[in-house]
């Protein structure tokens, strides 16, 4: 089943500025874990952010379960964002809040304004959050403030928060670039494991090609806003990597 179809996607940050995405097309299917690789500035993060409209595309189509999302406004856009979880490079936690409250904030899209103002969450949500915190190995830390945790633990909170909204797609933007190599591999393994178990397709901007090759089944290679490669990980080879990164073939 096709979850996401992107057709001829274009983006620029200002009307007179350069085109950052120059007509990108690809499809994400239900069991895909896509890596988006390419040199710094290639447009990887912009591409991820167009999908949930944190960046407004300047052209093209984005079909999420066959529904065009580039024209959604107001409530419809909020509902789209509820269906798409996001994991961030810098974790985007609220430092002064507890681990539990950070994870529960993943449910805010489902909670009435009044309830969310007083942070009253249904018992089911609390059970769901505890279950996820157990799965990411943080059950002993639920009441700690987010800023008491290590980087790897903070990203685990970010993973639990994104999954708390029962997403139908996960966008993951440089999940490991603030982490050391050992923790990076653990975090990628955890995301992969949770996404597989919960059957959530993923689109992951990742600068580390080794991690991309290890954990992702498909790869999109971007260079200067153009798609250079789109296919199964096993079809990626050294010559293509050199082309994407614009290096001499070694
Ligand atoms: P990548 O994730 O591949 O490093 P980005 O999508 O972050 O690339 O950036 C692509 C290009 O868009 C870069 O030239 C960057 O400077 C530019 N860019 C990114 N964000 C903005 C912004 N908010 N305003 C203007 N230009 C931006």
């Amino acid at each position: 089943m096709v979850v996401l179809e992107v057709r001829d996607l274009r983006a620029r940050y200002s009307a007179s500025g350069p085109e950052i995405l120059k007509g990108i097309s690809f499809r994400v299917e239900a069991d895909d874990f896509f890596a988006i690789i390419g040199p710094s500035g290639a447009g990887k993060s912009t591409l991820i952010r167009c999908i949930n409209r944190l960046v407004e595309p300047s052209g093209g189509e984005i079909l999420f379960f066959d529904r065009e999302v580039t024209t959604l406004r107001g409530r419809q856009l909020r509902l789209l964002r509820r269906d798409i979880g996001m994991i961030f490079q810098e974790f985007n936690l609220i430092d002064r809040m507890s681990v539990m409250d950070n994870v529960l904030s993943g449910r805010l899209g489902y909670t009435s304004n009044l309830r969310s103002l007083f942070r009253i969450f249904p018992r089911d949500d609390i059970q769901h959050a505890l279950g996820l915190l157990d799965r990411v190995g943080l059950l002993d830390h639920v009441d700690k403030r987010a800023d008491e945790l290590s980087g790897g633990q903070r990203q685990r909170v970010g993973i639990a928060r994104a999954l708390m909204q029962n997403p139908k797609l996960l966008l993951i933007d440089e999940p490991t670039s603030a982490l050391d190599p050992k923790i990076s591999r653990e975090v990628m393994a955890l995301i992969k494991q949770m996404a597989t178990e919960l059957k959530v397709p993923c689109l992951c901007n990742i600068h580390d090609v080794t991690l991309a090759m290890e954990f992702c089944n498909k790869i999109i290679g971007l260079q200067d806003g153009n798609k250079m490669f789109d296919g199964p990980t096993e079809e990626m080879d050294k010559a293509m990597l050199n082309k994407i990164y614009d290096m001499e073939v070694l």
Side-chain angles (χ1 to χ4, degrees):
M1 185 182 47
V2 177
V3 171
L4 180 76
E5 176 152 14
V6 172
R7 293 187 192 144
D8 195 31
L9 183 66
R10 293 169 188 277
R12 53 175 81 237
Y13 283 98
S14 66
S16 57
E19 195 167 49
I20 305 295
L21 297 177
K22 301 171 180 167
I24 304 293
S25 303
F26 60 95
R27 281 174 166 203
V28 179
E29 299 193 30
D31 50 0
D32 279 338
F33 196 131
F34 256 99
I36 304 176
I37 65 167
S40 178
K44 305 182 295 296
S45 183
T46 304
L47 173 57
I48 292 270
R49 285 159 193 267
C50 281
I51 310 294
N52 60 359
R53 305 262 310 279
L54 290 179
V55 171
E56 284 299 338
S58 53
E61 292 165 32
I62 300 172
L63 298 167
F64 184 56
F65 291 96
D66 290 327
R67 185 161 179 232
E68 174 59 70
V69 304
T70 56
T71 50
L72 298 181
R73 299 274 173 271
R75 180 177 146 76
Q76 295 304 320
L77 182 56
R78 283 198 298 279
L79 290 177
L80 171 81
R81 288 185 176 147
R82 197 168 88 171
D83 281 341
I84 301 181
M86 192 153 182
I87 296 173
F88 300 88
Q89 174 177 2
E90 297 293 341
F91 324 124
N92 281 23
L93 305 183
I94 301 179
D95 281 343
R96 62 185 165 72
M97 278 189 355
S98 70
V99 165
M100 184 64 168
D101 278 350
N102 270 284
V103 174
L104 282 169
S105 72
R107 286 305 284 182
L108 286 179
Y110 290 90
T111 310
S112 74
N113 287 344
L114 198 61
R115 275 175 170 257
S116 61
L117 189 65
F118 292 104
R119 308 201 62 73
I120 303 168
F121 288 91
R123 191 187 301 260
D124 283 357
D125 286 358
I126 293 168
Q127 286 305 324
H128 186 191
L130 285 171
L132 286 168
L133 282 165
D134 189 16
R135 306 268 284 280
V136 302
L138 289 178
L139 211 45
D140 293 340
H141 301 276
V142 285
D143 294 325
K144 283 193 180 159
R145 272 174 58 129
D147 56 5
E148 290 178 66
L149 304 183
S150 68
Q153 290 171 329
R154 286 161 71 78
Q155 192 56 294
R156 287 166 186 267
V157 178
I159 295 166
R161 179 188 53 194
L163 292 171
M164 191 66 201
Q165 65 190 76
N166 289 331
K168 298 188 177 106
L169 174 71
L170 262 184
L171 302 178
I172 311 169
D173 199 6
E174 290 276 21
T176 62
S177 44
L179 305 173
D180 71 37
K182 178 171 174 284
I183 304 292
S184 295
R185 177 158 278 104
E186 288 173 10
V187 161
M188 281 303 287
L190 180 65
I191 295 174
K192 169 88 178 198
Q193 184 194 341
M194 301 288 281
T196 306
E197 273 176 35
L198 299 172
K199 298 187 173 26
V200 189
C202 297
L203 201 52
C204 180
N205 164 17
I206 184 154
H207 73 285
D208 185 322
V209 174
T210 313
L211 289 179
M213 303 282 277
E214 186 173 339
F215 290 103
C216 302
N217 69 317
K218 288 188 187 157
I219 296 183
I220 292 172
L222 287 187
Q223 186 196 75
D224 193 22
N226 294 301
K227 189 179 85 175
M228 308 292 284
F229 177 87
D230 175 7
T233 303
E234 56 271 19
E235 287 176 17
M236 174 60 78
D237 59 17
K238 205 166 175 182
M240 179 52 74
L241 280 175
N242 287 339
K243 197 170 157 198
I244 293 167
Y245 286 89
D246 203 14
M247 295 182 298
E248 291 295 312
V249 177
L250 298 173

